[in-house]
Coordinates of all heavy atoms in Angstrom, one line a residue:
R169 N 0.8 -1.2 0.0 CA 0.0 0.0 0.0 C 0.9 1.3 0.0 O 1.9 1.3 0.7 CB -0.8 0.0 1.3 CG -2.2 0.1 1.0 CD -3.1 0.0 2.2 NE -4.2 0.8 1.9 CZ -5.0 1.3 2.7 NH1 -4.9 1.1 4.0 NH2 -6.0 2.0 2.3
D170 N 0.4 2.3 -0.7 CA 1.1 3.5 -0.8 C 0.8 4.4 0.4 O -0.3 4.6 0.7 CB 0.7 4.2 -2.1 CG 1.5 5.5 -2.3 OD1 2.5 5.8 -1.6 OD2 1.2 6.3 -3.3
P171 N 1.9 4.9 1.1 CA 1.6 5.7 2.3 C 0.8 7.0 2.0 O 0.2 7.5 2.9 CB 3.0 6.1 2.8 CG 4.0 5.1 2.1 CD 3.3 4.6 0.9
A172 N 0.9 7.5 0.8 CA 0.1 8.7 0.4 C -1.4 8.4 0.4 O -2.1 9.4 0.5 CB 0.6 9.2 -0.9
D173 N -1.8 7.2 0.3 CA -3.2 6.8 0.3 C -3.8 6.9 1.7 O -5.1 6.9 1.8 CB -3.4 5.4 -0.3 CG -3.1 5.4 -1.8 OD1 -3.1 6.5 -2.4 OD2 -2.9 4.3 -2.3
R174 N -3.0 6.9 2.7 CA -3.6 6.9 4.1 C -4.2 8.3 4.4 O -3.8 9.3 3.9 CB -2.5 6.7 5.1 CG -2.0 5.3 5.1 CD -1.1 5.1 6.3 NE -0.1 4.1 5.9 CZ 1.1 4.1 6.3 NH1 1.5 4.9 7.2 NH2 2.0 3.2 5.9
A175 N -5.2 8.2 5.2 CA -5.9 9.4 5.6 C -5.0 10.2 6.5 O -4.3 9.7 7.4 CB -7.2 9.1 6.3
A176 N -5.1 11.5 6.4 CA -4.3 12.4 7.2 C -4.9 12.4 8.6 O -6.2 12.3 8.7 CB -4.2 13.8 6.7
P177 N -4.1 12.5 9.7 CA -4.7 12.6 11.0 C -5.7 13.8 11.1 O -5.5 14.8 10.4 CB -3.5 12.8 11.9 CG -2.3 12.5 11.1 CD -2.7 12.6 9.7
A178 N -6.6 13.8 12.0 CA -7.7 14.8 12.1 C -7.1 16.2 12.4 O -7.7 17.2 12.1 CB -8.6 14.4 13.2
D179 N -5.9 16.2 13.1 CA -5.4 17.5 13.4 C -4.3 18.0 12.5 O -3.6 19.0 12.7 CB -4.8 17.5 14.9 CG -3.7 16.5 15.0 OD1 -3.4 15.8 14.1 OD2 -3.1 16.6 16.1
A180 N -4.2 17.3 11.3 CA -3.2 17.8 10.4 C -3.5 19.1 9.8 O -4.7 19.4 9.6 CB -3.1 16.7 9.2
G181 N -2.5 19.9 9.6 CA -2.8 21.3 9.0 C -3.0 22.3 10.1 O -3.0 23.5 9.8
R182 N -3.3 21.9 11.3 CA -3.5 22.9 12.4 C -2.2 23.3 13.0 O -1.3 22.5 13.1 CB -4.4 22.4 13.5 CG -5.8 22.4 13.2 CD -6.7 22.1 14.4 NE -6.1 21.2 15.3 CZ -6.6 20.9 16.5 NH1 -7.7 21.5 16.9 NH2 -6.0 20.0 17.3
A183 N -2.0 24.6 13.4 CA -0.8 25.0 14.0 C -0.8 24.4 15.4 O -1.8 24.2 16.1 CB -0.8 26.5 14.2
P184 N 0.4 23.9 15.8 CA 0.5 23.4 17.2 C 0.1 24.4 18.2 O 0.3 25.6 18.0 CB 1.9 23.0 17.3 CG 2.7 23.7 16.2 CD 1.7 24.0 15.2
D185 N -0.5 23.9 19.3 CA -0.9 24.9 20.3 C 0.4 25.6 20.8 O 1.4 25.1 21.0 CB -1.5 24.2 21.5 CG -2.9 23.6 21.2 OD1 -3.5 24.1 20.3 OD2 -3.3 22.6 21.8
A186 N 0.2 26.9 20.9 CA 1.3 27.8 21.4 C 1.6 27.4 22.8 O 0.7 27.2 23.6 CB 1.0 29.2 21.3
A187 N 2.9 27.4 23.1 CA 3.3 27.1 24.5 C 2.8 28.3 25.4 O 2.7 29.4 24.9 CB 4.8 27.0 24.6
P188 N 2.4 28.0 26.6 CA 1.9 29.1 27.4 C 3.0 30.1 27.6 O 4.1 29.8 27.8 CB 1.5 28.4 28.7 CG 2.1 27.1 28.7 CD 2.4 26.8 27.3
R189 N 2.6 31.4 27.5 CA 3.6 32.5 27.7 C 3.9 32.6 29.2 O 3.0 32.6 30.0 CB 3.0 33.8 27.2 CG 2.8 33.9 25.8 CD 2.4 35.3 25.4 NE 1.7 35.3 24.2 CZ 1.1 36.3 23.7 NH1 1.0 37.4 24.4 NH2 0.5 36.3 22.5
P190 N 5.1 32.8 29.5 CA 5.5 33.1 30.9 C 4.9 34.4 31.3 O 4.8 35.3 30.6 CB 7.0 33.1 30.9 CG 7.4 33.3 29.5 CD 6.3 32.9 28.6
R191 N 4.4 34.4 32.5 CA 3.8 35.6 33.1 C 5.0 36.6 33.3 O 6.0 36.2 33.7 CB 3.1 35.4 34.4 CG 1.9 34.6 34.3 CD 1.4 34.3 35.6 NE 0.0 34.5 35.7 CZ -0.7 34.4 36.8 NH1 -0.1 34.0 37.9 NH2 -2.0 34.6 36.8
P192 N 4.7 37.9 33.1 CA 5.8 38.9 33.4 C 6.0 38.9 34.9 O 5.1 38.7 35.7 CB 5.2 40.2 32.9 CG 3.7 40.0 32.7 CD 3.5 38.5 32.5
A193 N 7.3 39.0 35.2 CA 7.6 39.0 36.6 C 6.9 40.2 37.3 O 6.9 41.3 36.7 CB 9.1 39.1 36.8
A194 N 6.3 40.0 38.4 CA 5.6 41.1 39.1 C 6.7 42.1 39.5 O 7.7 41.7 40.0 CB 4.9 40.5 40.3
R195 N 6.4 43.3 39.2 CA 7.4 44.4 39.6 C 7.2 44.6 41.1 O 6.1 44.8 41.6 CB 7.1 45.6 38.8 CG 7.4 45.4 37.3 CD 7.4 46.7 36.6 NE 6.3 47.6 36.8 CZ 6.2 48.8 36.3 NH1 7.2 49.3 35.6 NH2 5.2 49.6 36.6
R196 N 8.3 44.7 41.7 CA 8.3 44.9 43.2 C 7.9 46.4 43.4 O 8.2 47.3 42.6 CB 9.6 44.7 43.8 CG 10.1 43.3 43.8 CD 11.4 43.1 44.5 NE 12.4 44.1 44.1 CZ 13.5 44.4 44.7 NH1 13.9 43.6 45.7 NH2 14.3 45.3 44.3
P197 N 7.1 46.6 44.5 CA 6.8 48.0 44.8 C 8.0 48.8 45.2 O 9.1 48.3 45.5 CB 5.8 47.9 45.9 CG 6.2 46.6 46.6 CD 6.7 45.7 45.5
G198 N 7.9 50.1 45.2 CA 8.8 51.0 45.8 C 8.2 51.6 47.0 O 7.0 51.3 47.3
Y199 N 8.9 52.4 47.7 CA 8.3 52.9 49.0 C 8.5 54.4 49.1 O 9.5 55.0 48.6 CB 9.0 52.2 50.2 CG 8.8 50.7 50.1 CD1 9.7 49.9 49.5 CD2 7.7 50.2 50.7 CE1 9.5 48.5 49.4 CE2 7.5 48.8 50.6 CZ 8.4 48.0 49.9 OH 8.1 46.6 49.8
L200 N 7.6 55.0 49.8 CA 7.6 56.5 50.0 C 7.7 56.8 51.4 O 6.9 56.3 52.2 CB 6.4 57.1 49.3 CG 6.2 58.6 49.5 CD1 7.4 59.4 48.8 CD2 4.9 59.1 49.0
E201 N 8.6 57.7 51.8 CA 8.7 58.3 53.1 C 8.4 59.7 52.9 O 9.1 60.4 52.1 CB 10.0 58.0 53.8 CG 10.2 56.5 54.2 CD 11.4 56.2 54.9 OE1 12.2 57.2 55.2 OE2 11.6 55.1 55.3
L202 N 7.5 60.3 53.6 CA 7.1 61.7 53.4 C 6.8 62.4 54.6 O 6.2 61.9 55.6 CB 5.8 61.6 52.5 CG 5.2 62.9 52.1 CD1 6.1 63.6 51.1 CD2 3.8 62.6 51.4
N203 N 7.3 63.7 54.7 CA 7.0 64.5 55.8 C 6.7 65.9 55.2 O 7.1 66.2 54.1 CB 8.2 64.6 56.8 CG 7.7 65.1 58.2 OD1 6.6 65.4 58.4 ND2 8.7 65.0 59.1
A204 N 5.9 66.7 56.0 CA 5.6 68.0 55.6 C 5.7 69.0 56.7 O 5.5 68.6 57.9 CB 4.1 68.1 55.1
I205 N 6.1 70.2 56.4 CA 6.2 71.3 57.4 C 5.3 72.4 57.0 O 5.6 73.0 56.0 CB 7.7 71.8 57.5 CG1 8.6 70.6 57.9 CG2 7.8 72.9 58.5 CD1 10.1 70.8 57.7
P206 N 4.3 72.7 57.8 CA 3.8 72.0 58.9 C 3.1 70.7 58.5 O 3.0 70.4 57.3 CB 2.7 73.0 59.5 CG 2.2 73.7 58.3 CD 3.4 73.8 57.4
W207 N 2.7 69.9 59.5 CA 2.1 68.6 59.2 C 1.0 68.7 58.2 O 0.4 69.8 58.0 CB 1.6 67.9 60.5 CG 0.4 68.6 61.1 CD1 0.3 69.6 61.9 CD2 -1.0 68.2 60.8 NE1 -1.0 70.0 62.2 CE2 -1.8 69.1 61.5 CE3 -1.6 67.3 60.0 CZ2 -3.2 69.1 61.5 CZ3 -3.0 67.3 59.9 CH2 -3.8 68.2 60.7
A208 N 0.7 67.6 57.5 CA -0.4 67.6 56.5 C -1.1 66.3 56.4 O -0.5 65.3 56.8 CB 0.2 68.0 55.2
V209 N -2.3 66.4 55.8 CA -3.0 65.2 55.4 C -2.5 64.8 54.0 O -2.3 65.7 53.2 CB -4.5 65.4 55.4 CG1 -5.3 64.2 54.8 CG2 -5.0 65.7 56.8
V210 N -2.3 63.5 53.8 CA -1.7 63.1 52.5 C -2.7 62.3 51.7 O -3.3 61.3 52.2 CB -0.4 62.2 52.8 CG1 0.2 61.7 51.5 CG2 0.6 62.9 53.6
V211 N -2.8 62.7 50.5 CA -3.7 61.9 49.5 C -2.8 61.6 48.3 O -2.2 62.5 47.7 CB -4.9 62.8 49.1 CG1 -5.7 62.1 48.0 CG2 -5.7 63.2 50.3
I212 N -2.7 60.3 48.0 CA -1.9 59.8 46.9 C -2.8 59.2 45.9 O -3.5 58.2 46.2 CB -0.8 58.8 47.4 CG1 0.1 59.4 48.5 CG2 0.0 58.3 46.2 CD1 1.0 58.4 49.2
D213 N -2.7 59.7 44.7 CA -3.6 59.2 43.6 C -5.0 59.1 44.0 O -5.7 58.1 43.6 CB -3.0 57.9 43.1 CG -1.6 57.9 42.5 OD1 -1.3 59.0 42.0 OD2 -0.9 56.9 42.7
G214 N -5.5 60.1 44.7 CA -6.9 60.1 45.1 C -7.3 59.3 46.4 O -8.4 59.3 46.8
R215 N -6.3 58.6 46.9 CA -6.6 57.8 48.1 C -5.9 58.4 49.4 O -4.7 58.7 49.3 CB -6.1 56.4 47.9 CG -6.3 55.5 49.1 CD -5.8 54.1 48.8 NE -5.7 53.4 50.1 CZ -4.8 52.4 50.3 NH1 -4.0 52.0 49.4 NH2 -4.8 51.8 51.5
R216 N -6.7 58.6 50.4 CA -6.1 59.2 51.6 C -5.2 58.2 52.4 O -5.6 57.1 52.6 CB -7.2 59.7 52.6 CG -6.7 60.4 53.8 CD -7.9 60.8 54.7 NE -7.3 61.2 55.9 CZ -7.8 62.3 56.6 NH1 -8.8 63.0 56.2 NH2 -7.2 62.6 57.8
Y217 N -4.0 58.6 52.8 CA -3.1 57.8 53.5 C -2.8 58.2 54.9 O -2.1 57.5 55.6 CB -1.7 57.8 52.7 CG -1.7 56.8 51.5 CD1 -2.3 57.1 50.3 CD2 -1.2 55.5 51.6 CE1 -2.3 56.3 49.3 CE2 -1.2 54.7 50.6 CZ -1.8 55.0 49.4 OH -1.8 54.1 48.4
G218 N -3.4 59.3 55.3 CA -3.3 59.7 56.7 C -2.5 61.0 56.8 O -2.4 61.8 55.9
E219 N -1.9 61.2 58.0 CA -1.1 62.4 58.2 C 0.4 62.2 58.2 O 0.8 61.1 58.5 CB -1.5 63.0 59.6 CG -3.0 63.3 59.7 CD -3.5 63.7 61.1 OE1 -2.7 63.6 62.0 OE2 -4.6 64.1 61.2
T220 N 1.1 63.2 57.9 CA 2.6 63.1 58.0 C 3.0 63.1 59.4 O 2.3 63.6 60.3 CB 3.2 64.4 57.3 OG1 2.8 65.5 57.9 CG2 2.9 64.3 55.8
P221 N 4.1 62.5 59.7 CA 5.0 61.8 58.7 C 4.5 60.4 58.3 O 3.9 59.7 59.1 CB 6.3 61.7 59.5 CG 5.9 61.6 60.9 CD 4.7 62.4 61.0
L222 N 4.7 60.0 57.1 CA 4.4 58.7 56.5 C 5.7 58.0 56.3 O 6.7 58.6 55.8 CB 3.6 58.8 55.2 CG 2.2 59.3 55.3 CD1 1.6 59.3 53.8 CD2 1.3 58.5 56.2
Q223 N 5.7 56.7 56.6 CA 6.9 55.9 56.4 C 6.5 54.6 55.8 O 5.5 54.0 56.1 CB 7.6 55.6 57.7 CG 8.2 56.9 58.3 CD 9.1 56.6 59.5 OE1 8.9 55.5 60.1 NE2 9.9 57.5 59.8
G224 N 7.3 54.1 54.8 CA 7.1 52.8 54.2 C 5.8 52.6 53.5 O 5.3 51.5 53.5
V225 N 5.3 53.6 52.8 CA 4.1 53.4 52.0 C 4.5 52.7 50.7 O 5.3 53.3 49.9 CB 3.5 54.8 51.7 CG1 2.3 54.6 50.8 CG2 3.1 55.5 53.0
A226 N 4.0 51.5 50.5 CA 4.3 50.7 49.3 C 3.5 51.3 48.1 O 2.2 51.4 48.2 CB 4.0 49.3 49.5
L227 N 4.1 51.6 47.0 CA 3.5 52.1 45.8 C 4.1 51.4 44.6 O 5.2 51.0 44.6 CB 3.7 53.6 45.7 CG 3.1 54.5 46.8 CD1 3.6 55.9 46.6 CD2 1.6 54.4 46.7
A228 N 3.2 51.3 43.6 CA 3.7 50.7 42.3 C 4.8 51.6 41.7 O 4.7 52.8 41.8 CB 2.5 50.5 41.3
P229 N 5.7 51.0 41.0 CA 6.7 51.9 40.3 C 6.1 52.8 39.3 O 5.1 52.5 38.7 CB 7.6 50.9 39.6 CG 7.4 49.6 40.3 CD 6.0 49.6 40.8
G230 N 6.6 54.0 39.2 CA 6.1 55.0 38.3 C 5.8 56.3 39.0 O 6.2 56.5 40.2
S231 N 5.1 57.2 38.3 CA 4.8 58.5 38.9 C 3.5 58.5 39.7 O 2.5 57.8 39.3 CB 4.8 59.6 37.9 OG 3.8 59.4 36.9
H232 N 3.4 59.2 40.8 CA 2.2 59.3 41.6 C 2.0 60.8 42.0 O 2.9 61.5 42.3 CB 2.4 58.5 42.9 CG 2.5 57.0 42.6 ND1 1.5 56.2 42.5 CD2 3.6 56.3 42.3 CE1 1.9 55.0 42.2 NE2 3.2 55.0 42.1
R233 N 0.7 61.1 42.0 CA 0.3 62.5 42.4 C 0.0 62.5 43.9 O -0.8 61.7 44.3 CB -0.9 62.9 41.6 CG -1.5 64.2 41.8 CD -2.8 64.4 41.1 NE -3.4 65.6 41.5 CZ -3.4 66.7 40.7 NH1 -2.8 66.7 39.5 NH2 -4.0 67.8 41.1
V234 N 0.8 63.4 44.6 CA 0.7 63.4 46.0 C 0.1 64.8 46.4 O 0.7 65.9 46.0 CB 2.0 63.2 46.7 CG1 1.9 63.3 48.2 CG2 2.6 61.8 46.3
R235 N -1.0 64.8 47.1 CA -1.6 66.1 47.6 C -1.4 66.2 49.1 O -1.7 65.2 49.8 CB -3.1 66.1 47.2 CG -3.8 67.3 47.7 CD -3.8 68.4 46.7 NE -4.7 69.5 47.2 CZ -4.4 70.7 46.8 NH1 -3.5 71.0 46.0 NH2 -5.2 71.7 47.3
L236 N -0.8 67.3 49.5 CA -0.6 67.5 51.0 C -1.5 68.7 51.4 O -1.4 69.8 50.7 CB 0.9 67.8 51.2 CG 1.8 66.7 50.8 CD1 2.8 67.2 49.9 CD2 2.5 66.2 52.1
E237 N -2.3 68.5 52.4 CA -3.2 69.6 52.9 C -3.0 69.8 54.4 O -3.1 68.8 55.1 CB -4.6 69.2 52.5 CG -4.9 69.1 51.1 CD -6.3 68.6 50.7 OE1 -7.0 68.2 51.7 OE2 -6.6 68.5 49.6
S238 N -2.7 71.0 54.8 CA -2.6 71.4 56.2 C -3.9 72.1 56.6 O -4.1 73.3 56.4 CB -1.4 72.2 56.5 OG -1.4 72.6 57.8
P239 N -4.9 71.4 57.1 CA -6.2 72.0 57.4 C -6.1 73.1 58.5 O -6.9 74.0 58.4 CB -7.0 70.8 57.9 CG -6.1 69.8 58.3 CD -4.8 70.0 57.5
T240 N -5.2 73.0 59.4 CA -5.1 74.1 60.4 C -4.6 75.4 59.9 O -4.9 76.4 60.4 CB -4.3 73.6 61.6 OG1 -3.0 73.3 61.1 CG2 -4.9 72.4 62.3
R241 N -3.8 75.3 58.9 CA -3.2 76.5 58.3 C -3.7 76.9 57.0 O -3.3 77.8 56.3 CB -1.6 76.3 58.2 CG -1.0 76.1 59.6 CD 0.1 77.1 59.7 NE 0.8 76.9 61.0 CZ 2.1 76.9 61.1 NH1 2.9 77.1 60.1 NH2 2.7 76.7 62.3
K242 N -4.6 76.1 56.5 CA -5.2 76.3 55.1 C -4.2 76.4 54.0 O -4.2 77.2 53.2 CB -6.1 77.6 55.1 CG -7.1 77.7 56.2 CD -8.3 76.9 55.9 CE -9.4 77.2 56.9 NZ -9.7 76.1 57.8
L243 N -3.2 75.4 54.1 CA -2.2 75.3 53.1 C -2.3 74.0 52.4 O -2.8 73.0 52.9 CB -0.8 75.4 53.8 CG -0.4 76.6 54.6 CD1 0.8 76.4 55.3 CD2 -0.3 77.8 53.6
A244 N -1.9 74.0 51.1 CA -2.0 72.8 50.3 C -0.9 72.9 49.2 O -0.6 73.9 48.7 CB -3.4 72.6 49.7
R245 N -0.5 71.7 48.8 CA 0.5 71.6 47.7 C 0.3 70.2 47.1 O 0.1 69.2 47.8 CB 1.9 71.8 48.3 CG 2.9 71.8 47.2 CD 4.2 72.3 47.7 NE 5.3 72.2 46.7 CZ 6.6 72.2 47.0 NH1 7.0 72.4 48.2 NH2 7.4 72.0 46.0
T246 N 0.5 70.2 45.8 CA 0.5 68.9 45.0 C 1.8 68.7 44.4 O 2.4 69.7 43.8 CB -0.6 68.9 44.0 OG1 -1.9 69.1 44.6 CG2 -0.6 67.6 43.2
I247 N 2.4 67.5 44.5 CA 3.7 67.2 43.9 C 3.5 65.9 43.1 O 2.6 65.1 43.4 CB 4.8 67.1 44.9 CG1 4.5 66.0 45.9 CG2 5.0 68.4 45.6 CD1 5.7 65.6 46.8
I248 N 4.4 65.6 42.3 CA 4.5 64.3 41.6 C 5.8 63.7 42.1 O 6.9 64.3 42.1 CB 4.6 64.5 40.0 CG1 3.4 65.3 39.5 CG2 4.8 63.1 39.4 CD1 2.1 64.6 39.7
V249 N 5.7 62.4 42.5 CA 6.9 61.7 43.0 C 7.1 60.5 42.0 O 6.1 59.9 41.5 CB 6.8 61.2 44.4 CG1 6.8 62.3 45.4 CG2 5.6 60.3 44.6
Q250 N 8.3 60.2 41.8 CA 8.7 59.0 41.0 C 9.1 57.9 41.9 O 10.0 58.1 42.7 CB 9.8 59.3 40.0 CG 9.5 60.3 39.0 CD 8.4 59.8 38.0 OE1 8.4 58.6 37.7 NE2 7.5 60.7 37.6
I251 N 8.4 56.8 41.8 CA 8.8 55.6 42.6 C 9.5 54.6 41.8 O 9.1 54.3 40.7 CB 7.5 55.0 43.2 CG1 6.7 56.0 44.1 CG2 7.8 53.7 44.0 CD1 7.5 56.5 45.3
V252 N 10.6 54.1 42.3 CA 11.4 53.1 41.7 C 11.3 51.7 42.4 O 11.3 51.7 43.6 CB 12.9 53.5 41.6 CG1 13.8 52.5 41.0 CG2 13.0 54.9 40.9
S253 N 11.1 50.7 41.6 CA 10.9 49.4 42.2 C 12.0 49.0 43.2 O 13.2 49.1 42.8 CB 10.9 48.3 41.1 OG 10.8 47.0 41.6
G254 N 11.7 48.6 44.4 CA 12.6 48.2 45.4 C 13.4 49.3 46.1 O 14.2 49.0 46.9
Q255 N 13.1 50.5 45.8 CA 13.8 51.6 46.4 C 12.9 52.5 47.2 O 11.7 52.5 47.0 CB 14.5 52.5 45.3 CG 15.6 51.8 44.6 CD 16.3 52.7 43.6 OE1 16.2 53.9 43.7 NE2 17.0 52.1 42.7
T256 N 13.4 53.2 48.2 CA 12.7 54.2 49.0 C 12.9 55.6 48.5 O 14.1 56.0 48.4 CB 13.0 54.0 50.5 OG1 12.7 52.7 50.9 CG2 12.3 55.0 51.3
T257 N 11.8 56.3 48.3 CA 11.9 57.7 47.9 C 11.5 58.5 49.1 O 10.5 58.3 49.7 CB 10.9 58.0 46.7 OG1 11.3 57.2 45.6 CG2 10.9 59.5 46.4
R258 N 12.4 59.5 49.5 CA 12.1 60.3 50.7 C 11.9 61.8 50.2 O 12.7 62.3 49.5 CB 13.3 60.2 51.6 CG 13.5 58.8 52.2 CD 14.8 58.7 53.1 NE 14.9 57.4 53.6 CZ 15.5 56.4 53.0 NH1 16.0 56.6 51.8 NH2 15.6 55.2 53.6
R259 N 10.9 62.4 50.8 CA 10.6 63.8 50.5 C 10.2 64.5 51.8 O 9.5 63.9 52.6 CB 9.5 63.9 49.5 CG 9.7 63.4 48.1 CD 10.7 64.3 47.4 NE 10.8 63.9 46.0 CZ 11.8 63.0 45.6 NH1 12.6 62.5 46.5 NH2 11.8 62.7 44.3
V260 N 10.7 65.7 52.0 CA 10.2 66.6 53.0 C 9.7 67.9 52.3 O 10.4 68.5 51.5 CB 11.3 67.0 54.0 CG1 10.8 68.0 55.0 CG2 11.9 65.8 54.7
I261 N 8.4 68.2 52.5 CA 7.8 69.2 51.7 C 7.5 70.4 52.6 O 6.8 70.2 53.7 CB 6.5 68.7 51.1 CG1 6.7 67.5 50.2 CG2 5.8 69.8 50.2 CD1 7.8 67.7 49.1
Q262 N 7.9 71.6 52.2 CA 7.6 72.8 53.0 C 6.3 73.4 52.4 O 6.3 73.8 51.3 CB 8.8 73.8 52.8 CG 8.8 75.0 53.6 CD 9.2 74.7 55.0 OE1 8.4 74.4 55.8 NE2 10.5 74.9 55.3
L263 N 5.3 73.4 53.3 CA 4.0 74.0 52.8 C 3.9 75.5 53.0 O 3.3 76.2 52.2 CB 2.9 73.3 53.5 CG 2.6 71.8 53.2 CD1 1.5 71.3 54.0 CD2 2.4 71.6 51.7
A264 N 4.5 76.0 54.1 CA 4.5 77.4 54.4 C 5.4 78.2 53.4 O 6.5 77.7 53.1 CB 4.9 77.7 55.8
P265 N 4.9 79.4 53.0 CA 5.8 80.1 52.1 C 7.0 80.7 52.7 O 7.2 80.7 53.9 CB 4.9 81.3 51.6 CG 3.7 81.3 52.5 CD 3.7 80.0 53.2

């Protein structure tokens, strides 16, 4: 018998299933230590984190909008901080002019 006469397997002509893609390694967070003079309420990316001083706030790497508000003195300031994976970013912000 001629091998060409045999029927092709049912899955012939289909591309083999792609191997599962490895998941991207989770990026480690970075950390923010923040103080303000005078003290302030801290809002990061729209979420309230409490009052200064703040220590060890874990954030995703990248830029973050930080709003500092001193309700007793009616002062406020917004800054952008850059967080680097695995590193601590430290800032002391002067709210009074």
Side-chain angles (χ1 to χ4, degrees):
R169 234 174 150 201
D170 184 7
D173 291 340
R174 287 190 215 149
D179 62 352
R182 280 193 325 173
D185 291 334
R189 289 186 205 171
R191 292 175 133 183
R195 295 192 311 173
R196 294 184 314 171
Y199 300 91
L200 178 62
E201 291 184 0
L202 183 66
N203 203 353
I205 301 168
W207 71 272
V209 172
V210 180
V211 178
I212 303 171
D213 298 329
R215 178 178 166 209
R216 184 182 168 140
Y217 278 80
E219 299 173 354
T220 57
L222 292 180
Q223 293 184 341
V225 176
L227 297 171
S231 62
H232 295 272
R233 181 183 171 106
V234 179
R235 177 91 176 151
L236 299 123
E237 300 173 353
S238 179
T240 58
R241 297 230 183 141
K242 307 283 191 249
L243 299 170
R245 185 167 171 198
T246 299
I247 62 169
I248 302 296
V249 295
Q250 293 296 324
I251 300 297
V252 177
S253 178
Q255 295 183 15
T256 299
T257 300
R258 293 174 181 86
R259 295 285 185 272
V260 177
I261 306 302
Q262 188 76 272
L263 293 179

